[in-house]
Amino acid sequence: MLLEFTNKGIYCPQADVYIDPWRTVDKAIITHAHSDHARWGMKHYLCHEKSKAILHHRLGKEINVETKKYNEPFTINGVGFSLHPAGHVIGSSQIRVEHKGEVWVVSGDYKTECDGISDAFEPVKCNTFITECTFGLPIYNWHPQIDVFNEMIRWIKQNEADKINSVIFAYALGKAQRIIQNIYPYVEELYTHGAIENTNKILRESETNIAPTILINKESDLKKIKGKVIIAPPSAQDTPWLRKLEPYKTALASGWMTLRGARRRRNIDKGFVISDHADWNGLNSAIKNTGCETVIATHGYTEIFSKWLRQIGYRAIAEKTQYEGETADISNEIA
Amino acid sequence: MKQFVDLYKQLDETTSSNEKIALLKNYFLSASNDDSLWCIALFIGKRFKKPISSTQLKQWVAEKTNLPYWLVDECHHIAGDLGETIAHLAYTNNSEKNILKNLNEIIIEIASLKNKSDDDKKAFIKEYWNQLTKDEIFIFNKLISGSFRVGVSEKIIIKALSIAFKIQENEIAHKLMGNWNPFETNLNELLFSNQTENFSKPYPFYLAYALENELNNLGHTKDWQAEYKWDGIRGQIIFRNHEIFIWSRGEELITHQFPEFEHLKKHLPDGTVLDGEIVILKNNELLSFQHLQKRLGRKNVSKKTMEELPAAFIAYDILEHQSKDIRQLPLSERRNILENIIPSNNVLIHLSEKIHFSTWDELKEIQQKSRTKSAEGLMLKHRNSSYQVGRKKGDWWKWKINPYSIDAVLTYAMQGHGRRANLFTDYTFALWHNGELVTFTKAYSGLSDEEIKEVDAFVRKNTIEKFGPVRSVTPQLVFEIAFEGIAFSKRHKSGVALRFPRIARWRKDKSISEANTLDDLIKLISQHV
């Protein structure tokens, strides 16, 4: 087997390297900088150049990071590797692994729609495709993001007219910047929570273009923040920091907002269905475009999704990993 | 249709009661009278016979989308709501969305499906699925499959109607009672016609909150009337125009389930409405709620059943006397009338006993012994109180005895519905018996959202086996289960059935070896009688 599932992560024995391992190893190739894929303690990290700054920010200045560009081939112990855009967040990569004519691709997390900030997903031909399936059910079908952002802007404008702040909860790396880039032409000022602003700062320093944002801190004149847009991480809900910004309405941008129950349980006023993961059609088309014979489903609705793939003619199995697709608490996962 | 869909969406997106009232008021003032009538009927929970089964809907959506049936079924389990599941599956954005029919028209079309062939039904449904937007498909599916749950209480509907049509809330509440049928009436008749034309119409029940203060804060004992709180079905007996009607508190007409009350015609004056408790009373012994349940939900009650399980009415109050609404009279005066009207030594009807007490301490002792009377506690009513509408604080209080409780082990979990969809919230519990865990009850309410999340995470990590939506889990968590009553039952594996079981708290301090045994539970039955 070119790649194996071990208790430390996805392992290539021939190259002696792990992909997104969850326990300490010597060599790790990292698909993207989210914390369930990029963990602390590896002796050597390899990732896309746009992931480097965030990796250092999250895992420490002292870690040893090597970077590659997309489509730049490299060899480890005779095994060929290359990184290809996954379209999930800035710097996110699919990992292509080739040995003796056999090709495997590890998708990491991905989405097929171009979000205007991450490099767009690129289908890579392979024999075996290791796919996520966070939203691997046919009830998950995203609308084009332009429609969702139009809806978001309408909501913001209504709140603006009512002199109510619009608080949008989004994951600090990826979703937050995607929202900022897509709504800033339509709003005067964009305010941020510290967690979001930190990520913005690092991305700006590594020459990613992020629209100007204003950090809310102790010095901020809260009286001026009325009818404005505030981007905050979901953990800011029900905190004193947020209560100072009353009156406000809250929204959560997540694929999980598809279901009414998920939104109502979180006590959120408005749900925007916008995800950095592929929806049902995205997953199916991505798999088809790889031309693969075998699919290994890693996180999400793995059992159901692989059963479906078998029914339409693939060799498909589900593997257990520690990526947070099948998380118990969907409210913590901002997919 | 679009207007109603927008209303539903907006109601769903707010938690503020005032905003909900404003949204409904605007709807009632701008929608057609027919649509407003349907809106009221749907939101206060009127149910209609389903012309199409859930299985058929799932089969047709599988057909439409070229998905296997099992996958549609899995989606349903995970989303929790069939109407919502189908909306996500059936929606296509490649066809014209041009259904301009109003709510009333669509409902009438759906109702007319009843006598059509399955092929005709399928063609009708698919046509709509193709032409509606996603939100509209959701509402359309809800109209087909019943059950509108949108977090709008009857109170909110009543307030909105009251503001929109400038009618007193109490009057609206009364008008919405009973078995009016939106297919047979119209908005004007429902809201503006003279009530006396409808002889069967009950009054809204006056409900009490649980006692929250010290008894001493209630003031003088002589201002209060105390009665037992019986464990039956709260009901209203209406005797008007030579006819008897029996209503349950759930606003169901249950006259035919209790034919013996027909005889009351001979013992009560015409033009009388009584509030009381329907119970099973055999040889002067009050039987448990479980026996009463056997009398409910039956189309025909046989003579044998009536002999085995004879029903009786314990009268608490009188709301109408000599065809006059006397709800505004003080309780003491109503009680006098009641005492004069209720015949003595009649097996069918009894006066709710007034408890004699001179100090609060004395009453407390009586309350604690109320289980020996087969009562579930006491009711306290101010002697000057009028008979009000709905649940109100101040004049009436219920004072229940503490529930039974037992520590049990979580063994199975199932995903919930609605607000709890996608979370494991419905649990099954077991007790020890001969070294094994024996299932004895289900319970789901009572945990905080935080605790539900924690249990949900536990279930996912500790699943032993999956049976469709149900998972068996490693026995590890102990919960205190509270319940109001207990009785032997042949239909349950454990041999006992509980009344109102719910989770009182999570006993994180206990390991499963410290959970109770089935014998512990059975001992409670002997205490109960």
Side-chain angles (χ1 to χ4, degrees):
Chain A
M1 291 268 270
L2 195 47
L3 295 175
E4 294 171 356
F5 285 83
T6 72
N7 59 5
K8 293 178 177 170
I10 302 171
Y11 180 55
C12 177
Q14 182 67 30
D16 191 22
V17 61
Y18 287 83
I19 296 168
D20 291 353
W22 47 83
R23 286 204 205 156
T24 305
V25 301
D26 288 347
K27 275 187 201 157
I29 301 177
I30 301 297
T31 59
H32 65 285
H34 279 153
S35 57
D36 54 326
H37 291 261
R39 292 177 196 250
W40 184 83
M42 316 301 156
K43 283 195 184 142
H44 183 271
Y45 293 86
L46 187 150
C47 65
H48 186 263
E49 54 187 11
K50 287 187 186 166
S51 290
K52 186 181 179 182
I54 299 283
L55 222 56
H56 274 299
H57 169 65
R58 296 200 158 172
L59 304 176
K61 287 250 175 328
E62 66 291 348
I63 63 164
N64 178 4
V65 183
E66 181 187 349
T67 65
K68 297 287 176 192
K69 290 185 181 0
Y70 289 128
N71 287 295
E72 177 189 346
F74 57 97
T75 311
I76 306 173
N77 286 348
V79 181
F81 288 88
S82 51
L83 309 184
H84 302 268
H88 174 59
V89 294
I90 296 161
S92 66
S93 307
Q94 305 175 75
I95 317 291
R96 182 182 184 275
V97 188
E98 179 174 9
H99 189 58
K100 292 182 180 165
E102 190 180 351
V103 180
W104 289 45
V105 169
V106 179
S107 76
D109 292 340
Y110 67 97
K111 69 170 174 291
T112 48
E113 183 184 27
C114 179
D115 63 12
I117 183 159
S118 328
D119 289 81
F121 177 85
E122 177 187 301
V124 182
K125 294 284 173 208
C126 60
N127 303 104
T128 300
F129 187 51
I130 299 177
T131 185
E132 65 133 324
C133 55
T134 309
F135 292 106
L137 290 179
I139 49 173
Y140 295 110
N141 293 298
W142 312 150
H143 288 282
Q145 73 168 16
I146 182 166
D147 293 349
V148 184
F149 284 118
N150 284 341
E151 194 189 340
M152 190 182 279
I153 289 156
R154 270 202 302 279
W155 180 73
I156 289 169
K157 293 292 167 193
Q158 179 63 53
N159 291 340
E160 205 177 279
D162 298 341
K163 296 196 170 53
I164 288 172
N165 287 324
S166 302
V167 178
I168 302 170
F169 297 121
Y171 198 65
L173 168 60
K175 193 75 63 65
Q177 291 76 31
R178 183 178 176 190
I179 292 169
I180 290 167
Q181 289 311 90
N182 281 285
I183 65 171
Y184 87 90
Y186 309 96
V187 295
E188 275 175 39
E189 285 165 328
L190 270 171
Y191 288 86
T192 52
H193 179 275
I196 309 276
E197 197 56 32
N198 277 341
T199 312
N200 288 353
K201 185 164 164 264
I202 291 153
L203 289 171
R204 284 183 192 119
E205 282 165 6
S206 53
E207 291 172 9
T208 304
N209 183 27
I210 308 286
T213 47
I214 308 163
L215 171 68
I216 299 175
N217 58 18
K218 280 180 190 149
E219 284 87 57
S220 302
D221 182 0
L222 297 179
K223 278 181 219 126
K224 279 192 185 157
I225 310 178
K226 282 273 172 319
K228 304 290 185 191
V229 178
I230 298 147
I231 314 281
S235 57
Q237 197 186 359
D238 301 325
T239 59
W241 178 86
L242 189 59
R243 278 194 286 277
K244 282 184 201 146
L245 296 166
E246 277 177 347
Y248 56 77
K249 289 209 166 191
T250 54
L252 178 62
S254 161
W256 298 116
M257 293 297 102
T258 300
L259 297 180
R260 290 163 62 235
R263 176 175 54 75
R264 282 159 59 190
R265 189 162 58 239
R266 285 220 44 162
N267 217 358
I268 295 274
D269 296 312
K270 182 86 184 169
F272 292 106
V273 181
I274 191 157
S275 177
D276 284 329
H277 292 264
D279 64 359
W280 173 256
N281 289 323
L283 291 168
N284 279 284
S285 72
I287 290 166
K288 196 174 166 207
N289 289 333
T290 64
C292 67
E293 304 97 48
T294 305
V295 180
I296 302 171
T298 56
H299 52 301
Y301 296 102
T302 51
E303 299 290 343
I304 298 171
F305 191 59
S306 52
K307 183 175 172 187
W308 156 254
L309 290 174
R310 285 192 293 278
Q311 189 154 355
I312 57 169
Y314 289 93
R315 283 183 55 213
I317 54 165
E319 279 284 358
K320 271 199 174 168
T321 63
Q322 294 195 4
Y323 312 131
E324 292 175 351
E326 161 100 41
T327 173
D329 174 15
I330 62 167
S331 62
N332 284 342
E333 174 164 5
I334 304 309
Chain B
M1 177 77 163
K2 190 181 174 302
Q3 200 184 0
F4 183 69
V5 171
D6 287 344
L7 171 71
Y8 188 93
K9 212 175 164 189
Q10 286 171 311
L11 288 171
D12 200 39
E13 280 174 4
T14 180
T15 46
S16 147
S17 294
N18 286 335
E19 215 167 302
K20 286 178 185 173
I21 292 167
L23 287 166
L24 283 162
K25 182 203 83 179
N26 291 340
Y27 182 83
F28 293 138
L29 290 177
S30 59
S32 71
N33 278 0
D34 287 340
D35 281 11
S36 290
L37 183 74
W38 278 109
C39 174
I40 298 167
L42 293 169
F43 284 172
I44 67 172
K46 289 219 171 276
R47 285 167 172 278
F48 311 100
K49 206 168 179 300
K50 286 200 256 181
I52 297 167
S53 73
S54 302
T55 311
Q56 277 175 317
L57 287 176
K58 282 192 262 190
Q59 275 163 352
W60 297 343
V61 80
E63 233 177 82
K64 179 184 189 304
T65 53
N66 288 320
L67 294 170
Y69 182 85
W70 66 263
L71 187 52
V72 172
D73 214 29
E74 288 282 5
C75 290
H76 179 203
H77 287 322
I78 286 160
D81 182 301
L82 184 60
E84 195 179 354
T85 307
I86 291 178
H88 289 303
L89 294 175
Y91 172 73
T92 43
N93 57 3
N94 51 15
S95 58
E96 282 284 299
K97 307 299 176 201
N98 54 6
I99 299 262
L100 295 169
K101 289 175 183 160
N102 63 32
L103 182 65
N104 181 52
E105 286 168 316
I106 292 182
I107 290 174
I108 289 171
E109 283 184 30
I110 292 173
S112 71
L113 288 178
K114 204 168 54 185
N115 305 316
K116 298 248 169 79
S117 72
D118 280 356
D119 282 345
D120 285 349
K121 288 180 184 174
K122 181 159 75 176
F124 171 87
I125 299 283
K126 284 194 174 176
E127 172 79 14
Y128 270 97
W129 282 348
N130 278 332
Q131 298 201 21
L132 296 172
T133 65
K134 200 182 259 191
D135 290 330
E136 287 167 350
I137 296 176
F138 172 62
I139 298 295
F140 175 73
N141 292 342
K142 286 282 172 195
L143 294 175
I144 294 169
S145 58
S147 103
F148 262 85
R149 274 203 283 177
V150 66
V152 173
S153 64
E154 197 163 332
K155 238 184 203 170
I156 286 178
I157 304 276
I158 289 167
K159 280 203 169 131
L161 285 169
S162 166
I163 298 168
F165 300 113
K166 303 192 168 52
I167 306 174
Q168 290 280 315
E169 283 177 36
N170 286 355
E171 209 178 313
I172 301 250
H174 191 187
K175 287 174 168 173
L176 296 189
M177 294 288 288
N179 64 342
W180 58 274
N181 181 341
F183 283 107
E184 290 165 5
T185 186
N186 59 51
L187 193 71
N188 279 330
E189 204 174 283
L190 179 72
L191 295 182
F192 301 103
S193 72
N194 194 344
Q195 288 304 308
T196 53
E197 284 160 26
N198 189 345
F199 294 116
S200 78
K201 194 152 252 180
Y203 290 101
F205 284 86
Y206 179 14
L207 306 171
Y209 273 94
L211 187 66
E212 48 196 25
N213 291 315
E214 286 296 315
L215 288 168
N216 293 331
N217 296 341
L218 294 178
H220 285 297
T221 53
K222 64 176 173 45
D223 292 335
W224 292 85
Q225 173 177 317
E227 293 163 74
Y228 285 107
K229 185 176 186 316
W230 302 108
D231 187 14
I233 309 170
R234 183 93 179 269
Q236 247 175 68
I237 290 186
I238 293 171
F239 182 27
R240 290 185 190 131
N241 213 26
H242 318 295
E243 263 198 275
I244 295 271
F245 303 94
I246 319 280
W247 288 91
S248 75
R249 207 199 89 188
E251 279 180 54
E252 270 178 282
L253 194 57
I254 49 174
T255 318
H256 299 294
Q257 275 138 19
F258 298 99
E260 51 261 77
F261 291 136
E262 279 296 307
H263 299 293
L264 288 176
K265 283 181 185 170
K266 284 180 272 173
H267 305 289
L268 290 173
D270 203 337
T272 300
V273 177
L274 301 175
D275 175 11
E277 198 88 8
I278 300 166
V279 295
I280 301 295
L281 197 60
K282 194 174 184 180
N283 305 328
N284 263 330
E285 189 198 342
L286 193 69
L287 300 189
S288 75
F289 187 79
Q290 209 199 345
H291 292 92
L292 181 57
Q293 263 176 329
K294 292 179 195 163
R295 290 287 305 260
L296 297 167
R298 289 195 185 198
K299 281 211 175 104
N300 295 303
V301 181
S302 66
K303 252 196 177 150
K304 191 169 159 253
T305 310
M306 284 200 281
E307 273 163 27
E308 277 173 12
L309 302 166
F313 190 79
I314 304 176
Y316 293 137
D317 212 328
I318 178 161
L319 316 185
E320 189 173 305
H321 180 50
Q322 292 169 346
S323 302
K324 265 203 312 232
D325 177 355
I326 57 164
R327 291 176 297 159
Q328 294 313 312
L329 292 182
L331 174 66
S332 51
E333 284 180 43
R334 296 200 308 276
R335 177 79 193 186
N336 283 338
I337 298 169
L338 185 69
E339 284 174 6
N340 283 327
I341 271 188
I342 302 298
S344 50
N345 299 322
N346 187 301
V347 287
L348 278 177
I349 193 159
H350 305 264
L351 192 62
S352 165
E353 175 192 346
K354 268 204 290 192
I355 296 168
H356 295 283
F357 66 104
S358 44
T359 68
W360 290 120
D361 283 343
E362 196 184 336
L363 191 66
K364 200 168 197 166
E365 259 175 59
I366 297 169
Q367 191 257 1
Q368 277 160 5
K369 283 187 215 145
S370 50
R371 204 165 256 155
T372 59
K373 284 252 185 187
S374 300
E376 50 176 15
L378 303 183
M379 286 294 303
L380 285 170
K381 299 173 181 173
H382 199 277
R383 289 186 201 279
N384 287 332
S385 62
S386 62
Y387 190 93
Q388 298 167 45
V389 170
R391 207 175 286 282
K392 295 276 158 60
K393 284 189 183 188
D395 286 347
W396 283 20
W397 298 102
K398 60 180 173 192
W399 186 19
K400 289 171 83 162
I401 27 186
N402 290 333
Y404 297 102
S405 77
I406 198 143
D407 293 333
V409 180
L410 174 70
T411 49
Y412 295 90
M414 199 169 102
Q415 294 193 345
H417 292 277
R419 206 176 85 89
R420 292 156 165 241
N422 224 336
L423 275 180
F424 286 94
T425 54
D426 293 8
Y427 310 128
T428 300
F429 296 94
L431 293 171
W432 292 108
H433 186 62
N434 296 333
E436 275 178 42
L437 284 168
V438 178
T439 297
F440 76 108
T441 191
K442 281 186 177 189
Y444 65 98
S445 57
L447 289 182
S448 70
D449 283 357
E450 282 308 308
E451 286 173 324
I452 288 176
K453 277 187 200 171
E454 240 182 289
V455 177
D456 179 79
F458 171 85
V459 170
R460 284 168 203 266
K461 286 197 192 102
N462 295 282
T463 297
I464 301 171
E465 259 187 291
K466 295 181 186 176
F467 315 90
V470 181
R471 296 191 181 189
S472 64
V473 299
T474 319
Q476 197 176 315
L477 306 186
V478 179
F479 293 86
E480 181 180 325
I481 308 297
F483 51 97
E484 297 302 324
I486 180 170
F488 286 112
S489 159
K490 280 183 195 140
R491 287 193 307 182
H492 294 76
K493 196 172 153 191
S494 61
V496 290
L498 306 186
R499 177 144 152 76
F500 278 150
R502 69 250 182 207
I503 300 168
R505 62 196 166 121
W506 186 348
R507 295 301 302 256
K508 289 186 175 175
D509 57 320
K510 286 203 168 181
S511 69
I512 57 166
S513 60
E514 292 169 278
N516 284 105
T517 64
L518 195 55
D519 285 345
D520 295 336
L521 185 67
I522 288 167
K523 272 180 213 152
L524 294 175
I525 301 184
S526 43
Q527 287 172 28
H528 188 37
V529 180

